[in-house]
Amino acid sequence: MKDSKKEFINPLFTVDSVLFTVVDNQLKVLLVKRAIEPFNGRWALPGGFVDVKQDDNTDMTAQRKLYEKTGITPKYLEQLKVFSGLNRDPRGFSVTLTYFALVAYEDTEPHINTVEEATWTEINELRNLPLAFDHREIIEAAFQRLQQKALYSMVPVYCCAEKFTVGQLKSVVEVIINKPLQRKSLMRRIEASGMFKEVDQKVQSGGRLAQLYSLKPDVDVVHFERNLGA
Amino acid sequence: MKDSKKEFINPLFTVDSVLFTVVDNQLKVLLVKRAIEPFNGRWALPGGFVDVKQDDNTDMTAQRKLYEKTGITPKYLEQLKVFSGLNRDPRGFSVTLTYFALVAYEDTEPHINTVEEATWTEINELRNLPLAFDHREIIEAAFQRLQQKALYSMVPVYCCAEKFTVGQLKSVVEVIINKPLQRKSLMRRIEASGMFKEVDQKVQSGGRLAQLYSLKPDVDVVHFERNLGA
DNA sequence: TAATTAAGTGTCTCAGTGACATTATTTTTA
DNA sequence: TAAAAATAATGTCACTGAGACACTTAATTA
Protein backbone atom coordinates (compact mmCIF):
# COMPACT_ATOMS: atom_id res chain seq x y z
CA MET A 1 0.00 0.00 0.00
CA LYS A 2 0.92 3.59 -0.38
CA ASP A 3 0.80 4.07 3.36
CA SER A 4 3.27 1.34 4.15
CA LYS A 5 5.67 2.78 1.63
CA LYS A 6 5.49 6.18 3.23
CA GLU A 7 5.94 4.72 6.67
CA PHE A 8 8.97 2.87 5.45
CA ILE A 9 10.51 6.04 4.14
CA ASN A 10 9.61 7.91 7.27
CA PRO A 11 12.36 7.97 9.86
CA LEU A 12 11.83 7.69 13.59
CA PHE A 13 10.78 11.11 14.85
CA THR A 14 11.08 12.33 18.44
CA VAL A 15 11.03 15.59 20.36
CA ASP A 16 13.55 16.32 23.15
CA SER A 17 14.02 19.35 25.36
CA VAL A 18 17.02 20.89 27.04
CA LEU A 19 15.57 22.59 30.09
CA PHE A 20 17.88 24.95 31.93
CA THR A 21 17.62 26.62 35.28
CA VAL A 22 20.00 28.55 37.51
CA VAL A 23 20.30 27.79 41.19
CA ASP A 24 23.09 28.36 43.71
CA ASN A 25 25.12 30.15 41.06
CA GLN A 26 25.12 27.05 38.91
CA LEU A 27 23.61 26.40 35.51
CA LYS A 28 21.68 23.14 35.57
CA VAL A 29 20.09 20.89 32.97
CA LEU A 30 17.17 18.59 33.59
CA LEU A 31 17.85 14.92 32.91
CA VAL A 32 15.55 11.92 33.22
CA LYS A 33 16.49 8.28 33.56
CA ARG A 34 15.46 6.15 30.61
CA ALA A 35 13.20 3.20 31.47
CA ILE A 36 13.24 1.47 28.09
CA GLU A 37 15.70 0.34 25.47
CA PRO A 38 17.81 1.58 23.89
CA PHE A 39 20.03 3.11 26.57
CA ASN A 40 17.82 1.73 29.33
CA GLY A 41 18.93 3.18 32.66
CA ARG A 42 20.97 6.00 31.19
CA TRP A 43 20.37 9.67 31.77
CA ALA A 44 18.73 11.44 28.85
CA LEU A 45 16.88 14.55 27.86
CA PRO A 46 13.15 14.55 28.61
CA GLY A 47 11.23 13.85 25.42
CA GLY A 48 9.45 11.28 23.34
CA PHE A 49 7.16 10.66 20.44
CA VAL A 50 4.51 12.97 19.10
CA ASP A 51 0.99 11.91 20.04
CA VAL A 52 -1.19 13.09 17.21
CA LYS A 53 -4.27 12.75 19.37
CA GLN A 54 -3.01 15.14 22.01
CA ASP A 55 -0.54 17.42 20.27
CA ASP A 56 -1.56 20.15 17.86
CA ASN A 57 2.09 20.62 16.93
CA THR A 58 5.57 19.75 18.14
CA ASP A 59 5.69 22.64 20.60
CA MET A 60 2.90 20.92 22.47
CA THR A 61 4.76 17.63 22.32
CA ALA A 62 7.74 19.24 24.00
CA GLN A 63 5.57 20.87 26.66
CA ARG A 64 3.58 17.71 27.26
CA LYS A 65 6.63 15.50 27.63
CA LEU A 66 8.23 17.92 30.05
CA TYR A 67 5.07 18.05 32.08
CA GLU A 68 4.50 14.30 32.08
CA LYS A 69 8.01 13.54 33.20
CA THR A 70 8.55 16.32 35.71
CA GLY A 71 5.40 18.36 36.25
CA ILE A 72 7.22 21.39 34.88
CA THR A 73 5.77 23.92 32.46
CA PRO A 74 8.66 26.11 31.34
CA LYS A 75 8.34 29.87 31.11
CA TYR A 76 10.33 29.94 27.89
CA LEU A 77 10.44 27.42 25.05
CA GLU A 78 11.88 27.70 21.57
CA GLN A 79 13.10 25.35 18.90
CA LEU A 80 16.78 24.62 18.98
CA LYS A 81 17.73 22.33 16.14
CA VAL A 82 17.06 19.00 14.49
CA PHE A 83 19.59 16.23 14.96
CA SER A 84 19.42 13.36 12.54
CA GLY A 85 21.36 10.42 11.19
CA LEU A 86 21.70 6.72 10.74
CA ASN A 87 23.91 6.11 13.73
CA ARG A 88 22.48 8.20 16.51
CA ASP A 89 19.84 5.58 17.34
CA PRO A 90 20.54 1.83 17.13
CA ARG A 91 17.02 1.29 15.80
CA GLY A 92 17.91 3.05 12.55
CA PHE A 93 17.71 6.44 10.93
CA SER A 94 16.23 8.84 13.42
CA VAL A 95 15.31 12.48 13.65
CA THR A 96 14.92 14.41 16.86
CA LEU A 97 13.61 17.93 17.08
CA THR A 98 15.17 19.58 20.10
CA TYR A 99 13.86 22.45 22.15
CA PHE A 100 15.61 24.87 24.39
CA ALA A 101 13.69 25.84 27.54
CA LEU A 102 14.11 27.94 30.68
CA VAL A 103 12.45 27.91 34.10
CA ALA A 104 12.89 29.57 37.44
CA TYR A 105 14.06 27.04 39.98
CA GLU A 106 11.40 28.30 42.39
CA ASP A 107 8.70 27.17 39.98
CA THR A 108 10.02 23.63 39.80
CA GLU A 109 11.14 22.54 43.23
CA PRO A 110 7.82 21.15 44.49
CA HIS A 111 7.42 19.01 41.40
CA ILE A 112 10.86 17.76 40.68
CA ASN A 113 11.40 16.40 44.16
CA THR A 114 8.48 14.04 43.84
CA VAL A 115 9.80 12.52 40.65
CA GLU A 116 12.29 9.81 41.28
CA GLU A 117 13.77 9.67 37.84
CA ALA A 118 14.41 13.31 37.10
CA THR A 119 17.37 15.35 38.29
CA TRP A 120 19.08 18.67 37.81
CA THR A 121 22.66 18.25 36.68
CA GLU A 122 25.23 21.01 36.73
CA ILE A 123 26.43 21.72 33.21
CA ASN A 124 30.06 20.89 33.96
CA GLU A 125 29.25 17.61 35.66
CA LEU A 126 27.86 16.31 32.39
CA ARG A 127 31.33 15.48 31.21
CA ASN A 128 31.50 12.60 33.67
CA LEU A 129 28.01 11.26 32.99
CA PRO A 130 27.32 8.83 30.18
CA LEU A 131 24.25 10.12 28.37
CA ALA A 132 21.90 8.39 25.97
CA PHE A 133 22.15 8.94 22.20
CA ASP A 134 23.88 12.17 21.17
CA HIS A 135 22.31 14.05 24.03
CA ARG A 136 25.58 15.49 25.23
CA GLU A 137 26.09 17.13 21.86
CA ILE A 138 22.53 18.46 21.96
CA ILE A 139 23.06 19.98 25.39
CA GLU A 140 26.27 21.58 24.21
CA ALA A 141 24.44 23.19 21.28
CA ALA A 142 21.68 24.41 23.58
CA PHE A 143 24.21 25.83 25.99
CA GLN A 144 25.94 27.78 23.26
CA ARG A 145 22.62 29.13 22.07
CA LEU A 146 21.76 30.20 25.61
CA GLN A 147 25.09 31.96 26.01
CA GLN A 148 24.63 33.81 22.74
CA LYS A 149 21.09 34.84 23.56
CA ALA A 150 22.18 36.14 26.94
CA LEU A 151 24.48 38.58 25.15
CA TYR A 152 21.87 40.23 22.97
CA SER A 153 18.54 39.63 24.69
CA MET A 154 16.84 39.42 28.06
CA VAL A 155 16.01 35.70 27.85
CA PRO A 156 17.88 34.89 31.07
CA VAL A 157 15.05 36.58 32.91
CA TYR A 158 13.03 33.41 32.39
CA CYS A 159 15.35 31.76 34.88
CA CYS A 160 14.24 34.32 37.47
CA ALA A 161 11.19 34.25 39.70
CA GLU A 162 8.15 36.27 38.69
CA LYS A 163 9.41 39.21 40.75
CA PHE A 164 13.13 39.73 40.63
CA THR A 165 15.77 42.28 41.53
CA VAL A 166 18.51 43.60 39.28
CA GLY A 167 21.01 41.81 41.47
CA GLN A 168 19.29 38.48 40.96
CA LEU A 169 19.12 38.87 37.19
CA LYS A 170 22.73 40.00 37.14
CA SER A 171 23.75 36.87 38.98
CA VAL A 172 21.80 34.64 36.59
CA VAL A 173 23.36 36.25 33.54
CA GLU A 174 26.83 35.95 35.02
CA VAL A 175 26.35 32.26 35.61
CA ILE A 176 25.17 31.77 32.04
CA ILE A 177 27.85 33.75 30.26
CA ASN A 178 30.46 32.77 32.83
CA LYS A 179 31.96 36.20 33.26
CA PRO A 180 31.30 39.28 35.37
CA LEU A 181 28.77 41.79 34.16
CA GLN A 182 28.46 45.49 34.96
CA ARG A 183 25.33 46.12 36.96
CA LYS A 184 25.00 49.41 35.12
CA SER A 185 24.88 47.70 31.73
CA LEU A 186 22.06 45.46 32.87
CA MET A 187 20.06 48.36 34.27
CA ARG A 188 20.36 50.23 31.00
CA ARG A 189 18.95 47.23 29.18
CA ILE A 190 16.10 46.69 31.62
CA GLU A 191 15.17 50.31 31.03
CA ALA A 192 15.71 50.28 27.25
CA SER A 193 13.92 47.00 26.59
CA GLY A 194 10.63 48.24 27.94
CA MET A 195 9.83 44.65 28.85
CA PHE A 196 9.59 45.21 32.58
CA LYS A 197 7.68 47.22 35.12
CA GLU A 198 8.74 48.18 38.61
CA VAL A 199 6.73 46.35 41.22
CA ASP A 200 5.48 48.53 44.06
CA GLN A 201 7.56 46.59 46.51
CA LYS A 202 11.13 46.29 47.66
CA VAL A 203 13.02 43.46 49.20
CA GLN A 204 15.92 43.22 51.60
CA SER A 205 19.24 42.06 50.38
CA GLY A 206 21.88 42.72 53.04
CA GLY A 207 22.15 46.40 52.15
CA ARG A 208 19.79 48.98 50.77
CA LEU A 209 16.37 47.59 49.81
CA ALA A 210 16.20 46.37 46.21
CA GLN A 211 13.53 47.34 43.72
CA LEU A 212 11.52 44.42 42.38
CA TYR A 213 10.73 44.11 38.67
CA SER A 214 8.33 41.90 36.77
CA LEU A 215 7.62 41.15 33.12
CA LYS A 216 4.88 43.21 31.53
CA PRO A 217 2.14 40.92 30.25
CA ASP A 218 2.46 39.55 26.70
CA VAL A 219 5.79 41.14 25.87
CA ASP A 220 8.12 39.70 23.28
CA VAL A 221 11.77 39.25 24.04
CA VAL A 222 13.63 42.33 22.82
CA HIS A 223 16.82 41.85 20.81
CA PHE A 224 19.52 44.49 21.20
CA GLU A 225 21.79 45.67 18.44
CA ARG A 226 24.96 45.13 20.38
CA ASN A 227 26.28 42.24 22.40
CA LEU A 228 27.34 42.44 26.00
CA GLY A 229 30.80 41.62 27.24
CA ALA A 230 32.75 41.56 24.01
CA MET B 1 4.47 -5.64 16.16
CA LYS B 2 6.44 -3.01 17.91
CA ASP B 3 7.45 -1.56 14.57
CA SER B 4 3.93 -0.95 13.35
CA LYS B 5 3.04 0.81 16.55
CA LYS B 6 5.96 3.15 16.20
CA GLU B 7 5.13 3.87 12.60
CA PHE B 8 1.61 4.73 13.60
CA ILE B 9 2.82 7.28 16.11
CA ASN B 10 5.26 8.71 13.64
CA PRO B 11 4.00 11.75 11.73
CA LEU B 12 4.72 12.44 8.08
CA PHE B 13 8.20 13.91 7.88
CA THR B 14 9.55 16.00 5.01
CA VAL B 15 12.42 18.36 4.32
CA ASP B 16 11.92 21.63 2.40
CA SER B 17 14.34 24.37 1.45
CA VAL B 18 13.99 28.09 0.92
CA LEU B 19 16.69 28.89 -1.60
CA PHE B 20 17.42 32.57 -2.13
CA THR B 21 19.42 34.39 -4.73
CA VAL B 22 19.85 38.02 -5.73
CA VAL B 23 19.69 39.09 -9.36
CA ASP B 24 18.86 42.41 -11.03
CA ASN B 25 18.57 44.04 -7.62
CA GLN B 26 15.81 41.67 -6.66
CA LEU B 27 15.66 39.00 -3.99
CA LYS B 28 14.30 35.78 -5.46
CA VAL B 29 13.09 32.46 -4.06
CA LEU B 30 13.20 29.17 -5.92
CA LEU B 31 9.82 27.49 -6.40
CA VAL B 32 8.95 24.20 -8.08
CA LYS B 33 5.62 23.09 -9.45
CA ARG B 34 4.10 20.16 -7.61
CA ALA B 35 3.35 17.13 -9.77
CA ILE B 36 1.43 15.07 -7.20
CA GLU B 37 -1.38 15.47 -4.74
CA PRO B 38 -1.97 17.24 -2.49
CA PHE B 39 -1.70 20.68 -4.08
CA ASN B 40 -0.96 19.17 -7.49
CA GLY B 41 0.04 21.93 -9.91
CA ARG B 42 0.73 24.54 -7.24
CA TRP B 43 4.02 26.24 -6.66
CA ALA B 44 5.90 24.94 -3.65
CA LEU B 45 9.30 24.84 -1.99
CA PRO B 46 11.69 22.21 -3.32
CA GLY B 47 11.79 19.28 -0.91
CA GLY B 48 10.55 15.83 -0.16
CA PHE B 49 10.99 12.74 1.95
CA VAL B 50 14.18 11.46 3.51
CA ASP B 51 15.66 8.51 1.69
CA VAL B 52 17.43 6.49 4.34
CA LYS B 53 19.42 4.65 1.70
CA GLN B 54 20.93 7.81 0.26
CA ASP B 55 20.89 10.35 3.06
CA ASP B 56 23.23 10.24 6.04
CA ASN B 57 21.21 13.00 7.66
CA THR B 58 18.61 15.64 6.85
CA ASP B 59 21.19 18.09 5.54
CA MET B 60 21.87 15.65 2.77
CA THR B 61 18.17 15.26 2.11
CA ALA B 62 17.87 19.00 1.60
CA GLN B 63 20.89 19.07 -0.69
CA ARG B 64 19.76 16.05 -2.66
CA LYS B 65 16.25 17.32 -3.22
CA LEU B 66 17.55 20.69 -4.38
CA TYR B 67 19.91 19.00 -6.77
CA GLU B 68 17.36 16.53 -8.09
CA LYS B 69 14.81 19.23 -8.79
CA THR B 70 17.05 21.98 -10.10
CA GLY B 71 20.64 20.82 -10.47
CA ILE B 72 21.65 23.39 -7.88
CA THR B 73 24.10 22.82 -5.04
CA PRO B 74 23.84 25.85 -2.79
CA LYS B 75 26.92 27.55 -1.37
CA TYR B 76 25.23 28.05 1.99
CA LEU B 77 22.73 25.82 3.79
CA GLU B 78 21.49 25.93 7.36
CA GLN B 79 18.49 24.72 9.28
CA LEU B 80 15.69 27.21 9.59
CA LYS B 81 12.84 25.76 11.62
CA VAL B 82 10.40 22.91 11.92
CA PHE B 83 6.79 23.52 10.98
CA SER B 84 4.26 21.03 12.22
CA GLY B 85 0.59 20.50 12.81
CA LEU B 86 -2.56 18.62 12.06
CA ASN B 87 -3.91 21.01 9.46
CA ARG B 88 -0.95 21.96 7.33
CA ASP B 89 -1.21 18.77 5.25
CA PRO B 90 -4.57 17.22 4.32
CA ARG B 91 -3.05 13.77 4.78
CA GLY B 92 -2.78 14.33 8.52
CA PHE B 93 -0.32 15.46 11.13
CA SER B 94 2.88 16.44 9.37
CA VAL B 95 6.29 17.75 10.23
CA THR B 96 8.55 19.58 7.82
CA LEU B 97 12.10 20.52 8.57
CA THR B 98 12.93 23.63 6.59
CA TYR B 99 16.31 24.83 5.43
CA PHE B 100 17.51 28.24 4.45
CA ALA B 101 19.94 28.33 1.52
CA LEU B 102 21.84 30.83 -0.63
CA VAL B 103 23.39 30.68 -4.09
CA ALA B 104 24.95 33.04 -6.56
CA TYR B 105 22.70 33.46 -9.56
CA GLU B 106 25.67 32.88 -11.84
CA ASP B 107 26.06 29.37 -10.45
CA THR B 108 22.47 28.44 -11.22
CA GLU B 109 21.53 29.87 -14.57
CA PRO B 110 22.68 27.02 -16.79
CA HIS B 111 20.77 24.48 -14.69
CA ILE B 112 17.59 26.21 -13.85
CA ASN B 113 16.77 27.11 -17.41
CA THR B 114 16.66 23.48 -18.42
CA VAL B 115 14.15 22.60 -15.75
CA GLU B 116 10.64 23.29 -16.83
CA GLU B 117 9.07 23.16 -13.41
CA ALA B 118 11.38 25.37 -11.39
CA THR B 119 11.36 29.16 -11.32
CA TRP B 120 12.81 32.11 -9.47
CA THR B 121 10.10 34.28 -7.96
CA GLU B 122 10.68 37.78 -6.64
CA ILE B 123 9.91 37.89 -2.93
CA ASN B 124 7.19 40.51 -3.27
CA GLU B 125 5.41 38.70 -6.07
CA LEU B 126 4.71 35.83 -3.72
CA ARG B 127 1.74 37.67 -2.30
CA ASN B 128 -0.18 37.07 -5.52
CA LEU B 129 0.81 33.43 -5.94
CA PRO B 130 -1.13 30.63 -4.27
CA LEU B 131 1.45 28.35 -2.69
CA ALA B 132 1.15 24.79 -1.44
CA PHE B 133 0.80 24.00 2.27
CA ASP B 134 2.07 26.75 4.61
CA HIS B 135 4.97 27.50 2.31
CA ARG B 136 4.27 31.22 2.24
CA GLU B 137 4.69 31.35 6.00
CA ILE B 138 7.89 29.35 5.74
CA ILE B 139 9.32 31.72 3.16
CA GLU B 140 8.41 34.67 5.34
CA ALA B 141 10.28 33.14 8.28
CA ALA B 142 13.31 32.43 6.09
CA PHE B 143 13.27 35.97 4.75
CA GLN B 144 13.28 37.44 8.24
CA ARG B 145 16.15 35.19 9.22
CA LEU B 146 18.08 36.27 6.14
CA GLN B 147 17.49 39.94 6.93
CA GLN B 148 18.65 39.47 10.51
CA LYS B 149 21.76 37.56 9.48
CA ALA B 150 22.66 40.24 6.97
CA LEU B 151 22.86 42.72 9.83
CA TYR B 152 25.37 40.84 11.96
CA SER B 153 27.21 38.51 9.59
CA MET B 154 28.62 38.20 6.10
CA VAL B 155 26.20 35.49 4.91
CA PRO B 156 24.99 37.61 1.98
CA VAL B 157 28.33 36.94 0.35
CA TYR B 158 27.01 33.51 -0.57
CA CYS B 159 24.72 35.26 -3.03
CA CYS B 160 27.81 36.64 -4.79
CA ALA B 161 29.98 34.99 -7.40
CA GLU B 162 33.22 33.36 -6.33
CA LYS B 163 35.08 36.61 -7.03
CA PHE B 164 33.20 39.72 -6.11
CA THR B 165 33.72 43.44 -5.63
CA VAL B 166 32.72 45.51 -2.63
CA GLY B 167 30.16 47.22 -4.82
CA GLN B 168 28.54 43.94 -5.76
CA LEU B 169 28.32 42.75 -2.18
CA LYS B 170 27.00 46.14 -1.10
CA SER B 171 24.27 45.89 -3.68
CA VAL B 172 23.32 42.37 -2.54
CA VAL B 173 23.12 43.41 1.09
CA GLU B 174 21.04 46.45 0.22
CA VAL B 175 18.56 44.29 -1.65
CA ILE B 176 18.30 41.92 1.29
CA ILE B 177 17.91 44.45 4.07
CA ASN B 178 15.99 46.82 1.81
CA LYS B 179 17.80 49.96 2.82
CA PRO B 180 20.95 51.80 1.78
CA LEU B 181 24.25 50.77 3.30
CA GLN B 182 27.44 52.77 3.74
CA ARG B 183 30.15 51.34 1.54
CA LYS B 184 32.61 52.23 4.27
CA SER B 185 30.80 50.07 6.84
CA LEU B 186 30.95 47.09 4.54
CA MET B 187 34.64 47.54 3.83
CA ARG B 188 35.38 47.69 7.53
CA ARG B 189 33.60 44.38 8.01
CA ILE B 190 35.31 42.71 5.08
CA GLU B 191 38.58 43.71 6.67
CA ALA B 192 37.60 42.84 10.24
CA SER B 193 36.04 39.48 9.47
CA GLY B 194 39.24 38.06 8.05
CA MET B 195 37.08 35.82 5.87
CA PHE B 196 38.30 37.19 2.56
CA LYS B 197 41.42 37.64 0.54
CA GLU B 198 42.09 40.16 -2.17
CA VAL B 199 42.33 38.51 -5.56
CA ASP B 200 45.25 39.68 -7.69
CA GLN B 201 42.89 41.06 -10.24
CA LYS B 202 40.68 44.06 -10.78
CA VAL B 203 37.57 44.52 -12.82
CA GLN B 204 36.03 47.44 -14.61
CA SER B 205 32.87 48.96 -13.33
CA GLY B 206 32.21 52.25 -15.13
CA GLY B 207 34.74 54.13 -13.04
CA ARG B 208 37.93 53.23 -11.26
CA LEU B 209 38.82 49.54 -11.41
CA ALA B 210 37.41 47.55 -8.52
CA GLN B 211 39.37 45.15 -6.34
CA LEU B 212 38.11 41.59 -6.44
CA TYR B 213 37.73 39.55 -3.26
CA SER B 214 37.15 35.87 -2.65
CA LEU B 215 36.42 33.69 0.36
CA LYS B 216 39.39 32.12 2.05
CA PRO B 217 39.08 28.33 2.01
CA ASP B 218 37.23 26.65 4.90
CA VAL B 219 36.32 29.82 6.77
CA ASP B 220 33.36 29.98 9.10
CA VAL B 221 30.91 32.83 8.88
CA VAL B 222 31.97 35.50 11.36
CA HIS B 223 29.34 37.04 13.61
CA PHE B 224 29.80 40.66 14.60
CA GLU B 225 28.87 42.10 17.96
CA ARG B 226 26.84 44.94 16.51
CA ASN B 227 24.15 45.13 13.91
CA LEU B 228 24.30 47.28 10.85
CA GLY B 229 21.81 49.98 10.04
CA ALA B 230 20.03 50.39 13.36
C1' DT C 1 26.81 55.48 66.27
C1' DA C 2 30.05 53.79 63.10
C1' DA C 3 31.14 50.16 59.90
C1' DT C 4 29.52 47.23 56.39
C1' DT C 5 26.89 45.89 52.59
C1' DA C 6 24.41 46.17 48.55
C1' DA C 7 21.40 49.33 45.59
C1' DG C 8 21.43 52.80 42.52
C1' DT C 9 23.52 57.11 39.90
C1' DG C 10 26.99 60.04 37.28
C1' DT C 11 30.23 60.31 34.04
C1' DC C 12 34.32 59.28 31.40
C1' DT C 13 36.43 56.17 28.05
C1' DC C 14 36.28 53.15 24.18
C1' DA C 15 34.85 50.82 19.95
C1' DG C 16 32.20 50.38 15.94
C1' DT C 17 28.82 52.37 12.82
C1' DG C 18 26.80 56.42 10.10
C1' DA C 19 27.65 60.36 7.49
C1' DC C 20 30.04 62.67 4.31
C1' DA C 21 34.03 65.00 2.35
C1' DT C 22 38.14 63.98 -0.20
C1' DT C 23 41.20 61.61 -3.24
C1' DA C 24 42.14 58.14 -6.94
C1' DT C 25 41.50 56.01 -11.26
C1' DT C 26 38.95 54.73 -15.00
C1' DT C 27 35.49 55.67 -18.94
C1' DT C 28 32.79 58.89 -21.47
C1' DT C 29 31.97 63.05 -23.72
C1' DA C 30 32.66 67.61 -25.64
C1' DT D 1 42.97 65.88 -26.00
C1' DA D 2 41.08 67.85 -22.07
C1' DA D 3 37.19 68.18 -19.19
C1' DA D 4 33.37 65.80 -17.11
C1' DA D 5 31.28 61.92 -15.17
C1' DA D 6 31.35 57.72 -12.71
C1' DT D 7 32.73 54.57 -9.44
C1' DA D 8 36.43 52.95 -6.08
C1' DA D 9 38.80 53.76 -2.04
C1' DT D 10 40.24 56.58 2.04
C1' DG D 11 40.01 60.09 5.97
C1' DT D 12 37.74 61.86 9.67
C1' DC D 13 34.21 63.44 12.78
C1' DA D 14 29.84 62.59 15.27
C1' DC D 15 26.84 59.44 17.64
C1' DT D 16 25.50 55.58 20.39
C1' DG D 17 25.75 52.10 23.69
C1' DA D 18 28.82 49.16 26.57
C1' DG D 19 32.76 48.98 30.18
C1' DA D 20 34.86 50.95 34.11
C1' DC D 21 34.59 52.94 38.27
C1' DA D 22 33.83 56.59 41.60
C1' DC D 23 30.22 58.26 44.30
C1' DT D 24 25.75 58.56 46.80
C1' DT D 25 21.86 56.30 49.19
C1' DA D 26 19.69 53.35 52.39
C1' DA D 27 19.43 49.33 54.68
C1' DT D 28 21.74 45.88 58.29
C1' DT D 29 25.12 44.79 61.70
C1' DA D 30 28.79 45.31 65.02
Side-chain angles (χ1 to χ4, degrees), chain B residues 29-44:
Chain B
V29 177
L30 185 70
L31 297 178
V32 296
K33 190 167 268 178
R34 281 181 67 82
I36 56 166
E37 293 295 343
F39 295 106
N40 197 344
R42 284 230 192 167
W43 292 106

Side-chain angles (χ1 to χ4, degrees), chain B residues 17-218:
Chain B
S17 297
V18 185
L19 178 62
F20 292 103
T21 198
V22 172
V23 59
D24 295 336
N25 285 321
Q26 292 187 319
L27 180 63
K28 306 220 175 192
V29 177
L30 185 70
L31 297 178
V32 296
K33 190 167 268 178
R34 281 181 67 82
I36 56 166
E37 293 295 343
F39 295 106
N40 197 344
R42 284 230 192 167
W43 292 106
L45 294 171
F49 294 98
V50 174
D51 181 343
V52 177
K53 296 215 172 53
Q54 295 186 63
D55 307 331
D56 289 350
N57 51 50
T58 53
D59 290 19
M60 286 183 69
T61 307
Q63 295 247 15
R64 179 175 58 81
K65 281 291 168 185
L66 275 174
Y67 185 80
E68 283 176 4
K69 302 210 174 189
T70 67
I72 292 174
T73 301
K75 289 228 184 87
Y76 183 80
L77 182 76
E78 73 163 42
Q79 278 188 27
L80 175 61
K81 200 183 153 186
V82 164
F83 292 78
S84 65
L86 251 173
N87 301 318
R88 56 178 304 279
D89 187 319
R91 290 167 292 185
F93 192 100
S94 69
V95 172
T96 190
L97 168 58
T98 62
Y99 280 80
F100 154 67
L102 303 176
V103 270
Y105 188 70
E106 296 79 20
D107 295 345
T108 75
E109 205 162 8
H111 306 109
I112 195 91
N113 283 344
T114 68
V115 180
E116 195 66 41
E117 307 296 14
T119 182
W120 290 110
T121 306
E122 207 271 325
I123 188 100
N124 295 306
E125 287 174 21
L126 288 173
R127 302 184 208 292
N128 313 319
L129 261 188
L131 297 191
F133 306 105
D134 49 3
H135 286 189
R136 173 172 286 109
E137 185 190 347
I138 294 171
I139 293 170
E140 182 57 31
F143 177 47
Q144 287 185 14
R145 175 94 130 238
L146 174 58
Q147 286 196 318
Q148 271 308 107
K149 289 227 161 193
L151 296 180
Y152 64 79
S153 83
M154 294 302 242
V155 281
V157 81
Y158 294 103
C159 289
C160 289
E162 199 200 324
K163 298 175 183 177
F164 63 92
T165 68
V166 176
Q168 286 164 353
L169 179 55
K170 172 173 181 283
S171 164
V172 165
V173 175
E174 285 174 332
V175 167
I176 291 171
I177 67 177
N178 198 30
K179 58 176 108 172
L181 172 64
Q182 291 285 326
R183 178 195 179 78
K184 182 79 187 195
S185 300
L186 193 57
M187 292 213 61
R188 281 190 282 235
R189 288 193 159 194
I190 289 175
E191 166 83 34
S193 72
M195 293 172 64
F196 309 101
K197 56 171 186 265
E198 296 188 358
V199 177
D200 188 22
Q201 190 180 356
K202 305 206 178 194
V203 74
Q204 68 180 38
S205 62
R208 175 176 172 176
L209 298 187
Q211 177 64 53
L212 282 174
Y213 293 83
S214 71
L215 269 173
K216 289 181 186 170
D218 304 319

